[in-house]
Amino acid sequence: MPRYELCVILKAMQRPETAAVLRRTVETLLERGAVVRSLESLGERRLPYKISKHDSRHTHGGYFSVDFHASPKIVSELLDHLERDIDVLRPTLLKKDPELSQTHCCGAQAEEAKSAASR
Amino acid sequence: MFALSFSRLLLQALPKQTVTPRATAQCIRSLTSQQEPLKKGDMPIKMENPYKTPPKTCILCNITVDFKNVQLLSQFISPHTGRIYGRHITGLCGRKQKEVSKAIKKARSMGFMSVTLKDPQFIKDPDICGIKHFE
C-alpha cells in the first residue's frame, strides 16, 4: 500500500478541542482502512499569510502531520471530508516517495561524468 | 617582437644545411655506460594520488530538502520580495536547485511559507547565496 502524508492546519483552539479534531480525523482514516503510522505536531504558529476558510479569517493555526498507509481509492473521499470540517483550515495530502539514495549526489555525478569523458 | 621576426627572416634566408650531431665526449659517455642495476626495493610504491582535489559538491550535497524545513528554504529566497533565487546566485547543482524550488512552491501552497516575504525570524540567518542587495 502506498504511503501518504497528511499535513493539516487546524484552527487555533484550546487543547481539548484540538484533540477532538485530531481524534475524529484519525478515526475517519481508520474507518476507511488506513494504517496510521504516526501523528506529529509541528507546533502552533502564526500562519505565513491570512487564510480565509469557512467564513472567517485566521492568523494562527496548529500544524499537524499524519503519516499513514492507505489504498489510493480513499484519497478523494478523505480530502472531501477534510474540506467540509470547520476546524480544518488547510488539508494537504501528499504521497511519500521512497527516499533516493544519497550516493547519487553532486560528487558522484561529477566523477561519473569525468570517467565517461575519459573513456 | 619585431626583432624575433627579423631574426626568423635571416634564418630562412640562410642556405639550409643538414645539421649533423657532433659527437662530444659527454654524448659518448651516456650512450656506452651501463645502466645502474634496478634495485627491487627502489620501485615506486603504488598509491592513490595524494594530491587529489576533493570532489566538487554543492552546499546541499547529502542534505535532504523537506518542505517542512522552512528555515532552510528561506535561505534561498529574497528577503524583500520572497522570490526564489536562480542557480547562478545559489550555486546549487541542478538536482538540488530543482528540489529546493519544488519544496518552496509546495510549502507556499500548503501554508508553511509566505509567498511575498521572508519570515522575519529568519532574516538574520547566515547568507548562503552571497547576493548584494541594493542598500
Side-chain angles (χ1 to χ4, degrees):
Chain A
M1 287 206 284
R3 193 170 153 179
Y4 293 100
E5 189 180 343
L6 170 70
C7 289
V8 275
I9 306 178
L10 303 179
K11 202 165 81 173
M13 300 174 287
Q14 298 300 319
R15 212 180 154 94
E17 285 143 15
T18 326
V21 177
L22 287 168
R23 194 196 179 84
R24 63 168 186 257
T25 314
V26 175
E27 271 172 6
T28 6
L29 276 172
L30 295 170
E31 263 175 50
R32 282 151 218 252
V35 178
V36 178
R37 216 177 156 109
S38 64
L39 166 62
E40 291 153 15
S41 163
L42 306 165
E44 189 184 303
R45 22 175 156 150
R46 209 186 144 121
L47 300 174
Y49 42 82
K50 294 195 195 114
I51 296 178
S52 315
K53 193 91 181 181
H54 304 296
D55 303 322
S56 54
R57 223 150 172 229
H58 301 95
T59 41
H60 292 78
Y63 289 71
F64 294 91
S65 166
V66 187
D67 205 356
F68 61 96
H69 289 268
S71 130
K73 294 175 197 171
I74 66 164
V75 167
S76 52
E77 297 168 18
L78 188 68
L79 273 172
D80 192 54
H81 178 269
L82 287 164
E83 289 280 337
R84 285 176 213 274
D85 196 334
I86 315 167
D87 297 318
V88 171
L89 296 181
R90 194 160 287 192
T92 322
L93 194 62
L94 299 168
K95 193 161 86 170
K96 259 210 165 161
D97 294 316
E99 276 178 30
L100 296 161
S101 57
Q102 295 282 17
T103 48
H104 287 288
C105 213
C106 318
Q109 271 188 347
E111 278 173 29
E112 279 169 28
K114 262 191 191 171
S115 57
S118 65
R119 260 179 248 146
Chain B
M1 261 184 67
F2 185 72
L4 193 65
S5 56
F6 188 68
S7 57
R8 242 187 244 140
L9 273 170
L10 276 174
L11 279 166
Q12 280 178 353
L14 288 167
K16 285 186 183 168
Q17 289 173 344
T18 51
V19 180
T20 48
R22 275 181 288 162
T24 52
Q26 270 184 340
C27 283
I28 293 170
R29 206 179 296 141
S30 61
L31 288 166
T32 54
S33 65
Q34 280 178 352
Q35 277 188 328
E36 283 173 21
L38 290 165
K39 291 176 202 159
K40 273 188 184 171
D42 211 12
M43 294 304 288
I45 308 162
K46 278 191 181 168
M47 66 189 323
E48 214 184 274
N49 182 8
Y51 303 105
K52 222 181 202 178
T53 51
K56 263 200 289 183
T57 53
C58 73
I59 42 173
L60 286 187
C61 212
N62 295 327
I63 295 174
T64 42
V65 173
D66 200 11
F67 63 87
K68 287 171 270 195
N69 191 351
V70 181
Q71 187 157 23
L72 175 67
L73 296 174
S74 297
Q75 286 185 304
F76 299 103
I77 60 168
S78 162
H80 304 292
T81 53
R83 292 176 80 181
I84 308 173
Y85 286 138
R87 208 164 299 188
H88 57 291
I89 300 171
T90 60
L92 295 171
C93 67
R95 180 195 294 263
K96 285 291 164 187
Q97 174 73 22
K98 196 83 187 183
E99 271 181 39
V100 165
S101 184
K102 287 261 175 196
I104 290 172
K105 288 177 187 171
K106 211 186 258 185
R108 279 173 181 172
S109 87
M110 290 171 73
F112 279 83
M113 205 160 106
S114 173
V115 182
T116 43
L117 52 94
K118 193 177 192 176
D119 201 318
Q121 52 180 296
F122 302 140
I123 287 178
K124 302 275 172 150
D125 284 350
D127 193 19
I128 292 180
C129 303
I131 187 168
K132 283 187 190 156
H133 293 287
F134 183 77
E135 291 292 329

